[in-house]
């Protein structure tokens, strides 16, 4: 990780996005080590598991409460999108809305999420041949606008994990991701930005690589086409389960947000 960070040069947004991508992997891996089972007296953590030459591997393999699992971590490019959120109309998912003023509308970031699902499915295809019984989790990094990825995945109109997703093959059949058991959406990118700007954190943390304690929590989504993920994972990775999303405005499936600036 240090070598990857050292290799990054420049001060533009592309470099900043790359820095936060490395930070994202460190955050999730660090927490996985903290909660890992001991195997032969050591925390069980395997970086980029898989022995098949030329095959894609997930980020890591670990063990929790006697259960092995692997993780793939993804982070979207959000800096320019964050700037666009200043527009009055904000659409987090594809919905049946007639948009009159496109210049003043923030559109969904569901295409990167689709790409993340495609990539994770591809990596897990090679992984299952060696570790067929492991649980397989996709971690998607986001900031505190959690309704964006949640709506992109679960919106009833064309959500990526619904019965009628916009992601389809050449025969117009819905594309499923059966090798992804669950998705954890990690609300933390705003903390990386805060740390790089040397500003005070707004969440209940004291440094950029502290996996959250207390609210706001991360979000867990069970893939309806994957295997049921045990409750222990949801609790250890400090997630709000899907059945409680409606209680919190920032986690609710949303058609649109109309921002009124004061």
């Amino acid at each position: 990780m240090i070598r990857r960070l050292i290799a990054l040069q420049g001060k533009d947004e592309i470099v900043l996005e790359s820095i936060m991508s490395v930070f994202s992997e460190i955050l999730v891996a660090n927490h996985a080590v903290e909660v890992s089972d001991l195997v032969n007296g050591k925390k069980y953590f395997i970086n980029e598991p898989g022995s098949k030459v030329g095959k894609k591997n997930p980020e890591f393999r670990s063990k929790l409460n006697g259960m092995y699992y692997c993780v793939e971590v993804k982070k979207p490019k959000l800096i320019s999108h964050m700037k666009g959120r200043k527009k009055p109309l904000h659409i987090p998912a594809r919905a049946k809305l007639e948009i009159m003023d496109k210049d003043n509308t923030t559109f969904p970031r569901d295409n990167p999420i689709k790409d993340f699902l495609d990539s994770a499915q591809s990596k897990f295809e090679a992984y299952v041949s060696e570790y067929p019984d492991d649980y397989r989790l996709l971690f998607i990094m986001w900031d505190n606008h959690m309704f964006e990825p949640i709506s992109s995945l679960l919106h009833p109109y064309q959500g990526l994990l619904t019965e009628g997703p916009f992601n389809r093959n050449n025969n117009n059949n819905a594309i499923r991701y059966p090798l992804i058991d669950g998705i954890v959406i990690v609300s933390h990118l705003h903390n990386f930005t805060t740390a790089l700007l040397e500003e005070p954190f707004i969440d209940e943390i004291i440094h950029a690589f502290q996996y959250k304690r207390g609210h706001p929590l991360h979000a867990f989504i069970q893939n309806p086409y994957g295997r049921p993920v045990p409750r222990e994972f949801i609790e250890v990775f400090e997630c709000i389960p899907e059945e409680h999303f409606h209680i919190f405005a920032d986690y609710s499936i949303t058609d649109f947000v109309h921002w009124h600036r004061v």
Side-chain angles (χ1 to χ4, degrees), residues 32-43:
V33 170
E34 288 179 341
V35 300
S36 171
D37 289 356
L38 294 176
V39 177
N40 297 325
K42 297 181 180 180
K43 294 278 190 175

Side-chain angles (χ1 to χ4, degrees), residues 39-78:
V39 177
N40 297 325
K42 297 181 180 180
K43 294 278 190 175
Y44 186 85
F45 182 89
I46 305 297
N47 188 50
E48 296 190 2
S51 60
K52 295 189 176 181
V53 178
K55 296 292 184 179
K56 298 178 180 179
N57 301 318
E59 311 293 352
F60 62 83
R61 184 184 194 227
S62 192
K63 189 177 184 182
L64 174 67
N65 290 352
M67 298 174 289
Y68 289 97
Y69 69 101
C70 68
V71 163
E72 176 67 8
V73 180
K74 297 292 187 182
K75 186 205 76 70
K77 295 179 180 179
L78 277 186

Side-chain angles (χ1 to χ4, degrees), residues 46-113:
I46 305 297
N47 188 50
E48 296 190 2
S51 60
K52 295 189 176 181
V53 178
K55 296 292 184 179
K56 298 178 180 179
N57 301 318
E59 311 293 352
F60 62 83
R61 184 184 194 227
S62 192
K63 189 177 184 182
L64 174 67
N65 290 352
M67 298 174 289
Y68 289 97
Y69 69 101
C70 68
V71 163
E72 176 67 8
V73 180
K74 297 292 187 182
K75 186 205 76 70
K77 295 179 180 179
L78 277 186
I79 294 176
S80 60
H81 178 71
M82 291 173 181
K83 297 175 182 177
R85 289 176 179 151
K86 297 178 181 179
K87 297 175 182 179
L89 184 60
H90 188 164
I91 301 176
R94 304 188 186 204
K96 293 182 178 180
L97 293 175
E98 202 64 40
I99 307 302
M100 303 302 294
D101 188 358
K102 294 183 179 180
D103 292 335
N104 286 309
T105 300
T106 301
F107 289 97
R109 292 289 287 152
D110 51 9
N111 276 322
I113 295 176

